[in-house]
Amino acid sequence: MKRFLKTLLIALFVIFMFNQVYAKTYRWKLITTWPTGIPWHETVLHFAKTVEELSNGELKIKVFPAGSIVPAFQVFDAVRNGVAEMGHDWPGYWKGKDQAFVAFASVPFGMNNIEYSIWLMAGDGMKLAKELYGKYGLVPLLGGNSGQEMGFFTKKPITEVSQLKGMKVRTVGWAADILKNMGVSVTPLPGGEIYLAFERGVLDSAEFSTPFITYPMGFQEIAKNVMVPGWHQTAVQLMFEVNKRAYDKLPDHLKKVLEVASRETQLWDLARSEYNNAKAIEKYMKEGVKFNKLSDESLNELRKTTKAYLDNLRKQSPFLDKVLKSQEDFIAEYSKWKDLRSGVSAYPYQEYINGKHYE
């Protein structure tokens, strides 16, 4: 009997230890730069749900929107310092730490959402991102790409960039510096603060993101004109960052879950966003919003100013130069195929017959 009880106790202990080792539940906090009303909050919720499902509940991630733990622009440092295990944001917000972060967010006149995804997933993109984030004790993960930004809301039609001079404009990233160099007053407000500033006249013009992301923010209630195209951000690449100390504590299979869930979220956000970008444009038009295209002369001026600005930054940062060169090499290689396949864009039949063959 004693032997039986001893054997039973040993067996129960082994089962207990097995459960402790192999069935441990990890509970993480994920903080973002987005209030709940911005659709990227849903992107993060989608990621967290995917992680929990793929891990069979071993890794549970609770999402906290901007301001609930730290203000939007403190997310990066909060994750570095272990306030939360993860963050989600647009990497360009962190250009004050290293200009190279902007290259992983959006480059004016740069890659679109498909091209960014290819460069990150099949090219050198994520390898370079890991090198950059690693300097800050972080591990990067793909966080979605919502496509080309719509443009700048203005109260009067603008078709020449010179018309922005003297105006107070909200934008961020490299576009902010480029416009400043062209005589424009720029304020880089976080998303949740833009509407009131625009409504009260603190801003004369504002942009935030793609049609789908921007529509719920209500700028169309204040201004009925939009300056297009979105030259300043031809894609909106988002990223998750993970505190490396927390990451290193995960078993390998949960690290793989994070990677797979991030790739799935990248494509999920891309498809959802482009579908809803088209829907949002229809809504804008029904509400009387007019889209005013910049002249070719203005676009060429902006392109030249952008190149001069980036050339100067690259001289100051060898790593930024390395990242942009990787992007440029990819763009040059990919452009040959892009050119050969062009001419069969999916436009309505009558528009195609009437000559609309190219995007």
Side-chain angles (χ1 to χ4, degrees), residues 5 29 35 66 98 242 311:
L5 289 174
K29 294 189 290 290
D98 194 311
V242 184
D311 284 348

Side-chain angles (χ1 to χ4, degrees), residues 28-31 47 61 75-76 78-82 84-89 91 94 101 104 120 125-143 238-250 252 254-260 262:
W28 279 13
K29 294 189 290 290
L30 195 166
I31 54 179
F47 170 80
I61 298 174
V75 164
F76 187 93
V79 176
R80 284 181 69 191
N81 295 327
E85 288 81 6
M86 288 190 70
H88 185 262
D89 51 60
W94 320 126
F101 279 110
F104 293 97
L120 286 164
M126 283 308 293
K127 177 183 175 183
L128 292 167
K130 289 175 182 176
E131 186 176 344
L132 175 61
Y133 280 80
K135 297 176 184 178
Y136 298 87
L138 298 169
V139 177
L141 294 169
L142 297 168
L238 307 170
M239 285 287 202
F240 293 101
E241 60 265 336
V242 184
N243 179 286
K244 192 172 187 306
R245 293 186 300 275
Y247 180 82
D248 287 343
K249 291 177 183 177
L250 292 178
D252 288 344
L254 291 183
K255 292 176 183 176
K256 192 65 178 179
V257 164
L258 287 176
E259 180 186 349
V260 171
S262 73

Side-chain angles (χ1 to χ4, degrees), residues 49-67:
K49 181 181 178 183
T50 303
V51 167
E52 184 166 348
E53 290 176 348
L54 291 178
S55 70
N56 198 29
E58 285 186 63
L59 179 52
K60 296 178 183 290
I61 298 174
K62 187 173 182 179
V63 177
F64 294 88

Side-chain angles (χ1 to χ4, degrees), residues 7-159:
T7 303
L8 179 61
L9 287 172
I10 292 173
L12 290 173
F13 178 77
V14 170
I15 292 171
F16 173 79
M17 291 304 296
F18 180 90
N19 287 334
Q20 290 299 303
V21 173
Y22 294 102
K24 181 177 178 180
T25 299
Y26 295 83
R27 299 182 185 277
W28 279 13
K29 294 189 290 290
L30 195 166
I31 54 179
T32 81
T33 52
W34 326 116
T36 56
I38 292 178
W40 286 323
H41 180 72
E42 297 172 16
T43 302
V44 182
L45 292 176
H46 173 86
F47 170 80
K49 181 181 178 183
T50 303
V51 167
E52 184 166 348
E53 290 176 348
L54 291 178
S55 70
N56 198 29
E58 285 186 63
L59 179 52
K60 296 178 183 290
I61 298 174
K62 187 173 182 179
V63 177
F64 294 88
S68 57
I69 293 183
V70 297
F73 288 168
Q74 292 181 22
V75 164
F76 187 93
D77 285 331
V79 176
R80 284 181 69 191
N81 295 327
V83 175
E85 288 81 6
M86 288 190 70
H88 185 262
D89 51 60
W90 182 71
Y93 290 149
W94 320 126
K95 78 184 182 85
K97 299 181 184 300
D98 194 311
Q99 291 284 351
F101 279 110
V102 189
F104 293 97
S106 187
V107 178
F109 296 95
M111 298 181 292
N112 63 28
N113 51 2
I114 297 294
E115 291 161 346
Y116 250 108
S117 298
I118 296 170
W119 176 69
L120 286 164
M121 298 170 75
D124 293 332
M126 283 308 293
K127 177 183 175 183
L128 292 167
K130 289 175 182 176
E131 186 176 344
L132 175 61
Y133 280 80
K135 297 176 184 178
Y136 298 87
L138 298 169
V139 177
L141 294 169
L142 297 168
N145 195 312
S146 303
Q148 181 176 308
E149 296 212 344
M150 181 166 54
F152 293 74
F153 277 82
T154 59
K155 294 180 180 177
K156 296 180 180 179
I158 288 182
T159 56

Side-chain angles (χ1 to χ4, degrees), residues 157-194:
I158 288 182
T159 56
E160 303 294 338
V161 71
S162 60
Q163 293 174 266
L164 289 175
K165 289 181 181 177
M167 294 176 66
K168 293 168 290 186
V169 176
R170 185 275 172 190
T171 192
V172 293
W174 286 331
D177 294 333
I178 291 165
L179 288 177
K180 283 179 186 176
N181 291 345
M182 300 177 77
V184 180
S185 176
V186 177
T187 302
L189 291 175
E193 299 177 20
I194 301 172

